[in-house]
Amino acid sequence: MMRPGVKQYVVTRPLYSEESFAQEHEKVYRHRKTTLDHIKQYFTCDAKRAKNAALSLFPVIGWMKMYRLKEWLLSDIVSGVSTGLVAVLQGMAYCLLASLPPWYGLFSAFFPVISYFFLGTSRHISVGPFPVLCLMIGSVVTRLVPDEGPVANITGFEGLSKDEQRVLVASSVSFLAGIMQLAMGVLQVGFIVMYLSDTLVSGFTTAAAIHILVSQLKFVLGLEVRGISGPLSIIYTLEIIFNKITSTNVCDVLISLVIMVVVFIVKELNDRFRSKLPVPIPIEVIMTVIACGVSYAFDFKTRYGIEVVGYIPKGYEAPMAPNLQIFQETAVEAFPMAIVGFAVAFSVAKVYSVKHDYTIDGNQELIAFGVSNIFGASFKSFAASTALSRSAVQESTGGKTQIAGLLSAIIVMIVTLAVGFLLEPLPKSVLGAVVIVNLKGMLMQFSEIPYLWHRDRPDCVVWLGTCIASILLGLDLGLAAGLGVELICVVLRVQFPRCSLLANIKGTDIYKDQKDYMDIYELEGVKIFRIPSPIFFANIEFFRTKLVEAVGFNPLRVLRKRNKAVRMIRKLLKKGRLQWTSNGFLNTSCGPIHESEDESNMEELDQPTDFKDFPVQIDWNGELPANIIVPSVEIHSLILDFAAVSFLDISALKGLKTLLKELIRVDVEVYIVACDSYILEKLHDCCFFDDEVQPSMFYLTLHDAMLNILEKHPEPMQKKSDYEKVITTVTVHHPLGSLRSRDKNDSGPQTKF
């Protein structure tokens, strides 16, 4: 029923097939570049391209030109100082995850920031240690240099202490991850991060949060637990912790609980009153200073046996070359580190770029992080990315550009060179508590499970599969398993799409799934089949099966039955047991006639039915002579809606052509509608068309094909029904530019059903 006052449009135009449309409307010729053209263009250089390349490689030049000194400098200073204080604390805390002495975290909060300042495209992320990456590095470190037992047989470990060996491993694997990131950036493969869906990253980071939580329990409880890496390491670690639970240091537990409760409450207040606070309260820094003072005043290390940060050397250490043997041992672990570090940083950068209306370049980000990790690893830092909480501090305190990041690095440098000794009495349980509190955001991702289960179960399977695999197998194998689950889900969605039969919505030229609407019109003898996915080697058989189900018969079986029937009728006519009269075929045999079961020469049965020398064309839907039974075909036309088909491969072309021929040979007219021009071009290039499968079966729209069928088969129009009629009219362009519709009584062509 037409709603009153609703805007309407009426269109009258010729009925178009793809051929007729191409004849009437000339296409614009577009020169397609060859591979050689692309290579020439890539290596062509001029002044403009050199300038663009320099601006692309050093984005700092672009935003420094537009830097508003008076408006932005103060905000960047406030943001840089706030972020720097947080970076000092988080650098030391996250360093524990990498199984390294805490002060090396200060190196990771300094050197990568310097490189990113010049090469990065994001103006708001805070570069430095990221807990998930630190944990992945820690698993490599404890595998090659375990807490107990012999270290790996690696040249270069001789004469080094255990801490120095671990630093060598961490810096070498970080250097290798940086090389991988740089290579991917130079090769312009930043799109690889697109294969890590938000669901997969969410499940992965949640599993990482569980690993981080377990790894920090030994500091919070004051226990000595050796580092374990590999599959099921989390279970073995928990087993050791539970066996040693009676040795818990009560003072460590109390300090940790106080720190966690206070930091959690103040962080919640920061979030709730964000709009009213000029700067978030740096509660982590405040509690760290208080804990340092109390620990020093009451000598917690001696009186209560609490493990503290201990000696922090002043200044920076000499640069160190990576170990090539460690490259060989850690190449498998370095690649997921490179991917995860970039994926997380790029995701955060993308959020802030959208919020502040500027663009970021994925390939340049790969180059920036690659160079940052290579540069930092040379000075004994470990792989850097961005921590969500630290980036939030930099952005929320008013940071406008990476000058804030540079100032935060200066704060870290001041601590490293001058005041680092003040942090020596800091209990490690405080750092562990800070790490655990900062896991809140990642652990809260468990709340996504019910939402995903009710909205998109395949995505929920990806989330659960990635999370469980990462928890049990470790982060590197878990990420690979999650990618496998994700790709399987994608393949299954494409391989088994939701095919449907469409019907006309009465009174319109709109066609929808016939199961979804009541007020529909289905033309007798016509089926409209839609497949909402590409057709390729993996789903061509599924496409065929679903189409056979939709039309209600197997065209190949019907064709063979018909050819067998023709063969039998011809044989009976030849033997005189069957005669043709004006009233039809006459059976002159006294006994029953049995169908021949001869299966010889099956290839002939798949060919078009040959009525040569027959006195009349056989009506296959009528009664056949000699008790011959052939499956009936209830439709005369089939429309295939290819609007959602984005490509066909060679296997699909062969399968589709075979299916079309089978349908045509059983007298079903096939129409393919809304086919992409790229696919049509490919069909011509692959010699898809012949005497049976012709380009004339392709129509511009579904409604064009339906109107053509109505012209060819007008019988259903004679039947009385209460269906509303579909009217096709035309839109006329008024000379002044406005639009007006032709009247119903206008002489323009109209087609109704």
Side-chain angles (χ1 to χ4, degrees), residues 214-280:
V214 172
S215 70
Q216 296 306 293
L217 288 178
K218 64 180 180 181
F219 298 111
V220 170
L221 299 176
L223 301 175
E224 290 187 8
V225 180
R226 62 185 177 88
I228 302 174
S229 61
L232 303 180
S233 60
I234 191 170
I235 294 176
Y236 298 139
T237 302
L238 286 172
E239 181 185 9
I240 295 173
I241 290 174
F242 287 136
N243 288 335
K244 294 185 175 183
I245 197 71
T246 54
S247 304
T248 298
N249 189 314
V250 178
C251 189
D252 268 324
V253 174
L254 291 175
I255 292 173
S256 301
L257 287 176
V258 171
I259 294 292
M260 283 191 283
V261 170
V262 174
V263 172
F264 178 80
I265 292 174
V266 176
K267 275 181 170 287
E268 290 296 311
L269 292 175
N270 280 340
D271 290 339
R272 180 167 295 184
F273 300 103
R274 182 182 305 172
S275 58
K276 298 181 180 179
L277 291 172
V279 175

Side-chain angles (χ1 to χ4, degrees), residues 499-501 514-515 527 529 541-555 635 638 659:
C499 301
S500 57
L501 281 174
Q514 62 181 15
K515 295 179 181 179
K527 294 287 185 182
F529 184 79
E541 283 303 318
F542 177 80
F543 169 70
R544 179 189 176 91
T545 302
K546 285 296 181 182
L547 183 58
V548 167
E549 290 179 8
V551 298
F553 64 90
N554 187 328
I635 66 172
L638 172 67
L659 181 58

Side-chain angles (χ1 to χ4, degrees), residues 47 58 71 235 283 325 367 384 409 412 429-430 482 507 522 536 566 581:
F58 297 100
E71 298 178 31
I235 294 176
I283 186 60
Q325 192 174 349
I367 292 173
V412 175
S429 56
V430 173
E522 296 181 80
F536 61 111
V566 169
T581 67

